[in-house]
Amino acid sequence: MPVWKNLSVIRKVVQLLAFLFLVYGSVFVGFYSADKISGAFPALACAYDAKTADYCVLIPLQHQLGHGVGRAIGAGTFALSMLLPVLTTLATFLLLFVLLNKAFCGWLCPLGFFQEVLGMIGQKLRLNRTESLDEKVVDRIRPAKWLMLGLLVILFPLASGIGFVGHELGDPFCKICPSRILTSLAAGQLNQLYIDTSSTGYMILSIIADTLFGLILVLSLTMRQPFCRICPMLAMHAIFKKIGLVRLVKNYTPRCDKCGLCAKACPMDIREIHTSKEKDILMPDCTLCGRCVEFCPDKGVMAMKYAVIPIKVSDPQYFKERNRAQKQWEGKQKPSRRVKKD
Amino acid sequence: MKARLLMGATLVVALFSFTAEASMHWVPAPAVKGHGHAGHGGGHGGGNSRHAGETYLLHGGEGAETQLMSPHLAVKALQPEQGRVSVKAMGTGNYHALVAKRSAGELHESAIRYIYMNGKPSGVSPSLLIGHEKSALEIEPAPLAREHWRYYSGTDAVFVIRYRGEPLAGASMSMTTGNGSSAEFTADATGRVTVPLPQDFTYEKPGRAANPPAEFLLTARHGDDGQRFITTFSYDYHINPQHWQSTELGLAMVGGGMLLGGFMTLRKRRRKEKK
Ligand code: SF4
Ligand code: SF4
Ligand code: SF4
């Protein structure tokens, strides 16, 4: 299959360009373009990276909730106008989000790309990979992203602004965010990798951050996108997913019951795309990577659309070629120990 | 409370100890009550001007014209009272410039300071304001420490000296800090000056809040055709957090996380094999 026809390859190229832009963007477009572009990017593009061109929505959100809304409530001077910055941040976020929906994850997020690259390295190293997680494990992990959003992005910053909890919990998600460490390291800064000994709170948060980063480094080699499964951005996106223009649709046929290749291809283990009889199958965990469409062998059953325009529609010929390309890429898998024993 | 008073007192001393013979420049006014001074805010912009109504002092600026410039380059004249100006958010957020200018005979002076304002996102990049020619001779931060970076002791800060909008090769610039350091610099062929911010803080206690910032003041001078130009750039800088942040421990912790990841992977595989 020619590479330019392979959606996954196209996506990798886009991801690489986005990575270069989001991590080193100031080199190309000058400093401060963050404020020019949006200041509220719907993926983990980091404000702590000294060369960044843009930054993710989570940082202004935590700050505005903490310093603005929280402090105002704490001081008893809360006025509706206090919400204005928060609403503007959300509006900028929504603007970009309407255009691309959750494709920010699958196509633009630096951390998502990094995890995928590690996964590819794992494949090449012939590490024993877990392609799909157990259903029960997936169900258990899913609520975590809502907790991350609710507690770390919203509640703790508010509580810190009011004065219920310490200053360290003013932007707790940033304090543990692996993208902060990743993008700053990629930009040649070591200053985001530290243990902060100034207080117990800071110490705990920095220990969590560094451990989480190490954990992702290793888990990504054998498991698909470990951090994405608990990322608050997914939850944030999920709230607004109905208004995005990019859609994932399915025309259910009884053959779907037997096949299930789409769910197997899905890096986020969304088995619902296989079992669902609905038309709209854009699930909260979806990153709009399009793999399910690529690996659906039935003509026109699955499609990724921009509003009503189809971008990619499942097709038996494409499936065949894509499958062959995948096998070629993966090479012969090392037989697992169990197979050897048999 | 006592500690806070003491901190305030040292801060005021730190802020003003260099002002005796310095050229016209801006400094945040010490707060009358409550916590700290204008440079004491939380997150953004080197901690400047989180709330409405911050007060700044223009030192040695008798008779100067003062104004506040928004990120969109909108200009608001300021009326100083005994050298103090109170700046209120102009509605939009992001970086604003405090500009003071004065000319007498062949001497042209200017003082510029960038302050972060809270408000609705301005939608324009601060580079517009920073790159805009606000006075004939100007010290342009390249870039300004912003958002989550600040000027830290023991790190390098870069500036470009411009005269009539163009980089001024070989220009001379001096620095003094509220902690008593001073240094002289010469710009390179592109007008750039790299300023190593001095490690001149006495380390008190771990944590940023326990170590109030100090001010540094850059002054550039230039003569052209019998005219003399002096400009200043002032900002706050902080003690390097390396005092309480350990990279070595951080790396060790990442290693720990990797081990944990390896352990989890192995356990998962064993379980799968048992099935
Ligand atoms: S630390 Fe994470 S959440 Fe915070 S700005 Fe960076 S990427 Fe966004
Ligand atoms: S879910 Fe993954 S891809 Fe999406 S923002 Fe989070 S880390 Fe990035
Ligand atoms: S549902 Fe499809 S598009 Fe969404 S993450 Fe899974 S494979 Fe990718």
Side-chain angles (χ1 to χ4, degrees):
Chain A
M1 157 176 248
V3 285
W4 51 269
K5 267 196 183 169
N6 187 328
L7 188 70
S8 295
V9 175
I10 299 171
R11 194 169 64 89
K12 283 284 166 316
V13 174
V14 175
Q15 279 177 307
L16 177 67
L17 293 177
F19 189 89
L20 291 177
F21 180 68
L22 292 175
V23 177
Y24 309 102
S26 66
V27 177
F28 309 118
V29 294
F31 288 100
Y32 317 122
S33 50
D35 318 77
K36 196 161 39 188
I37 300 167
S38 69
F41 197 72
L44 296 183
C46 191
Y48 288 82
D49 154 18
K51 293 199 168 76
T52 193
D54 202 49
Y55 48 80
C56 75
V57 64
L58 298 182
I59 194 157
L61 209 55
Q62 290 171 83
H63 281 314
Q64 286 156 353
L65 286 173
H67 298 312
V69 184
R71 270 189 203 168
I73 297 175
T77 55
F78 181 77
L80 228 48
S81 63
M82 287 284 163
L83 276 178
L84 201 66
V86 179
L87 295 178
T88 322
T89 301
L90 284 179
T92 355
F93 166 84
L94 284 181
L95 206 70
L96 283 168
F97 191 79
V98 168
L99 295 178
L100 281 174
N101 208 338
K102 294 156 78 80
F104 279 101
C105 285
W107 295 71
L108 300 178
C109 173
L111 186 61
F113 177 59
F114 178 65
Q115 295 176 79
E116 284 190 48
V117 170
L118 283 179
M120 284 159 70
I121 294 173
Q123 268 174 342
K124 281 291 147 198
L125 292 176
R126 304 282 166 84
L127 297 178
N128 211 321
R129 290 171 53 81
T130 314
E131 285 307 328
S132 303
L133 285 187
D134 205 56
E135 261 178 46
K136 274 198 224 111
V137 180
V138 174
D139 286 341
R140 233 182 293 146
I141 298 174
R142 277 185 180 173
K145 60 179 178 293
W146 292 104
L147 280 180
M148 299 281 269
L149 180 72
L151 285 180
L152 299 190
V153 180
I154 299 169
L155 269 182
F156 279 141
L158 272 178
S160 158
I162 297 170
F164 284 160
V165 296
H167 190 256
E168 49 269 60
L169 289 175
D171 51 1
F173 180 69
C174 283
K175 296 247 156 55
I176 65 152
C177 175
S179 201
R180 175 172 56 88
I181 300 177
L182 165 74
T183 53
S184 57
L185 280 179
Q189 301 159 251
L190 209 59
N191 64 1
Q192 292 303 324
L193 190 72
Y194 56 75
I195 297 294
D196 191 322
T197 50
S198 61
S199 77
T200 323
Y202 281 119
M203 182 130 84
I204 293 173
L205 286 169
S206 54
I207 289 178
I208 296 176
D210 295 344
T211 313
L212 186 63
F213 186 69
L215 203 62
I216 290 166
L217 278 181
V218 170
L219 287 186
S220 300
L221 290 169
T222 58
M223 178 184 170
R224 297 195 282 183
Q225 280 144 274
F227 182 75
C228 292
R229 296 163 194 270
I230 58 166
C231 180
M233 212 45 120
L234 267 192
M236 179 95 184
H237 289 174
I239 303 175
F240 301 107
K241 76 185 168 78
K242 287 276 177 233
I243 60 167
L245 286 175
V246 191
R247 315 234 48 98
L248 199 62
V249 292
K250 177 181 172 186
N251 296 307
Y252 170 81
T253 77
R255 281 196 304 279
C256 289
D257 295 339
K258 290 191 215 97
C259 169
L261 283 179
C262 56
K264 237 179 105 193
C266 176
M268 298 297 285
D269 294 317
I270 309 175
R271 57 179 186 281
E272 290 86 339
I273 49 172
H274 152 46
T275 50
S276 169
K277 293 182 181 167
E278 302 286 315
K279 196 151 178 76
D280 179 0
I281 50 159
L282 186 62
M283 301 292 165
D285 280 5
C286 180
T287 64
L288 276 174
C289 68
R291 276 177 69 88
C292 49
V293 185
E294 288 188 274
F295 285 93
C296 170
D298 269 329
K299 195 163 182 67
V301 167
M302 278 228 169
M304 199 166 159
K305 288 187 174 169
Y306 198 86
V308 287
I309 311 155
I311 311 168
K312 183 95 210 148
V313 184
S314 60
D315 173 79
Q317 188 58 31
Y318 179 90
F319 166 76
K320 233 190 261 158
E321 289 179 34
R322 179 69 183 84
N323 215 11
R324 205 179 303 133
Q326 185 68 24
K327 292 231 166 80
Q328 247 170 30
W329 156 259
E330 279 172 10
K332 244 217 194 114
Q333 286 294 306
K334 193 168 82 181
S336 81
R337 277 193 273 166
R338 196 179 119 218
V339 181
K340 263 191 261 167
K341 267 186 252 157
D342 290 345
Chain B
M1 199 59 220
K2 212 171 158 190
R4 188 175 268 176
L5 267 178
L6 201 67
M7 210 165 86
T10 41
L11 189 70
V12 172
V13 173
L15 279 172
F16 296 108
S17 53
F18 63 59
T19 57
E21 77 282 28
S23 319
M24 172 170 86
H25 65 274
W26 292 102
V27 281
V32 185
K33 60 179 167 62
H35 39 280
H37 74 113
H40 249 220
H44 289 167
N48 285 317
S49 198
R50 279 238 71 102
H51 316 286
E54 298 289 7
T55 309
Y56 288 85
L57 292 179
L58 181 64
H59 258 268
E62 295 75 27
E65 248 177 60
T66 53
Q67 52 181 225
L68 181 68
M69 201 178 269
S70 81
H72 302 271
L73 309 182
V75 171
K76 189 171 89 177
L78 295 171
Q79 246 61 59
E81 272 170 40
Q82 291 160 338
R84 295 169 83 95
V85 292
S86 175
V87 273
K88 291 210 177 62
M90 289 161 93
T92 137
N94 217 329
Y95 287 93
H96 291 55
L98 275 175
V99 182
K101 286 202 274 195
R102 181 173 61 189
S103 284
E106 75 282 10
L107 180 64
H108 310 280
E109 294 170 278
S110 62
I112 290 166
R113 186 184 185 99
Y114 296 97
I115 56 175
Y116 189 87
M117 300 279 216
N118 254 341
K120 92 177 183 297
S122 67
V124 295
S125 162
S127 54
L128 180 69
L129 176 69
I130 291 168
H132 178 73
E133 190 184 325
K134 295 172 284 299
S135 74
L137 184 66
E138 199 170 330
I139 301 169
E140 177 192 340
L144 179 70
R146 51 141 227 193
E147 297 297 325
H148 291 89
W149 358 317
R150 302 164 203 283
Y151 290 117
Y152 284 121
S153 60
T155 62
D156 285 348
V158 180
F159 300 87
V160 174
I161 302 178
R162 285 183 328 202
Y163 176 61
R164 304 220 180 275
E166 296 300 319
L168 189 61
S172 59
M173 187 178 91
S174 64
M175 173 181 71
T176 48
T177 74
N179 289 341
S181 306
S182 61
E184 297 289 329
F185 305 92
T186 309
D188 68 7
T190 58
R192 289 171 82 84
V193 187
T194 304
V195 175
L197 292 167
Q199 301 254 35
D200 55 6
F201 282 90
T202 4
Y203 177 53
E204 296 284 343
K205 267 192 248 144
R208 190 161 64 85
N211 296 278
E215 287 275 307
F216 70 95
L217 173 68
L218 303 176
T219 311
R221 292 163 204 274
H222 180 59
D224 182 25
D225 205 13
Q227 306 289 305
R228 286 194 301 130
F229 298 87
I230 302 178
T231 186
T232 60
F233 170 95
S234 53
Y235 217 74
D236 57 1
Y237 71 116
H238 298 245
I239 190 167
N240 199 311
Q242 266 164 11
H243 287 282
W244 58 90
Q245 292 180 349
S246 158
T247 309
E248 290 79 16
L249 282 180
L251 278 168
M253 224 47 238
V254 172
M258 291 173 76
L259 281 179
L260 185 65
F263 173 72
M264 282 166 70
T265 313
L266 282 182
R267 212 180 59 158
K268 200 168 57 192
R269 189 189 299 169
R270 291 236 176 83
R271 246 200 240 145
K272 217 164 56 180
E273 280 168 7
K274 256 191 226 146
K275 265 190 209 160

